[in-house]
Amino acid sequence: MTDFDRTDARLLLALCERPRATGVELANILGMSRNTVQARLTRWEEKDTLTPIDHRVRPRSLGYALQAFVTTRVDQHKLSEVTDHLRTIPEVLEVFGLSGASDMHIRIAAVDADDLYRVAGLILKIPGVERTNMSIAMSELIPYRTTPLLDRAAGARSK
């Protein structure tokens, strides 16, 4: 973890607990100067450390009750074009490049089974997509989290 220390971890944990807290509030909670807090928040913004706020919006609250994961095999010469095309499909929530038998792991949201079929068809129609395999998410057992990592970093000795 270069350029990340115990103070960063404590500040990020406080921000996780109070995501709408101002820099002044965070400084008071942690006993830090306002300038220290602001400098770190600015650094994280510049380095793209924090995910966008839309990461916190649950698709279900927008009417997308189903989520699915699509593993995809792609013509490697068209990987960039496939990725660009996937960006144009609103129901595509995230895409990971993979090593191994599949090239991409695509998380999608859908209103219902018919909508899921439609979105899967959009993915299959992309030039360069060779094969897909879909799994429907039945429940979210552990939601995305970084707090355990921050807890560990906050307890670690700073450099």
Side-chain angles (χ1 to χ4, degrees):
M1 280 188 268
T2 61
D3 209 21
F4 189 86
D5 62 20
R6 190 175 177 170
T7 300
D8 288 326
R10 289 182 55 232
L11 181 53
L12 285 168
L13 281 168
L15 196 55
C16 288
E17 290 174 15
R18 296 173 184 83
R20 297 191 315 166
T22 66
V24 172
E25 289 171 314
L26 292 169
N28 287 334
I29 290 166
L30 296 170
M32 295 180 191
S33 76
R34 183 175 53 89
N35 289 340
T36 298
V37 169
Q38 191 56 52
R40 288 171 191 252
L41 291 172
T42 300
R43 184 182 77 214
W44 296 335
E45 249 180 60
E46 291 171 354
K47 291 188 174 190
D48 203 26
T49 299
L50 305 176
T51 60
I53 192 72
D54 71 345
H55 187 78
R56 299 188 55 181
V57 178
R58 297 190 188 281
R60 179 177 292 282
S61 67
L62 301 173
Y64 294 87
L66 288 178
Q67 286 192 58
F69 299 93
V70 181
T71 53
T72 308
R73 184 179 294 163
V74 176
D75 176 344
Q76 293 299 298
H77 300 291
K78 297 182 179 180
L79 189 61
S80 180
E81 292 89 344
V82 170
T83 302
D84 289 343
H85 196 100
L86 287 168
R87 277 191 186 90
T88 69
I89 302 172
E91 295 85 0
V92 171
L93 303 177
E94 60 187 354
V95 179
F96 292 91
L98 303 177
S99 64
S102 295
D103 300 306
M104 291 181 163
H105 181 79
I106 306 165
R107 183 177 176 189
I108 61 174
V111 174
D112 55 26
D114 289 336
D115 193 40
L116 184 60
Y117 185 78
R118 178 190 62 81
V119 176
L122 292 174
I123 293 171
L124 273 170
K125 286 181 185 176
I126 299 172
V129 171
E130 297 175 350
R131 171 181 269 169
T132 63
N133 186 16
M134 184 185 317
S135 299
I136 296 174
M138 301 302 286
S139 66
E140 184 178 50
L141 302 175
I142 300 175
Y144 180 83
R145 64 192 185 143
T146 57
T147 303
L149 299 174
L150 292 169
D151 284 334
R152 179 183 288 166
R157 292 183 184 177
S158 55
K159 295 178 184 179

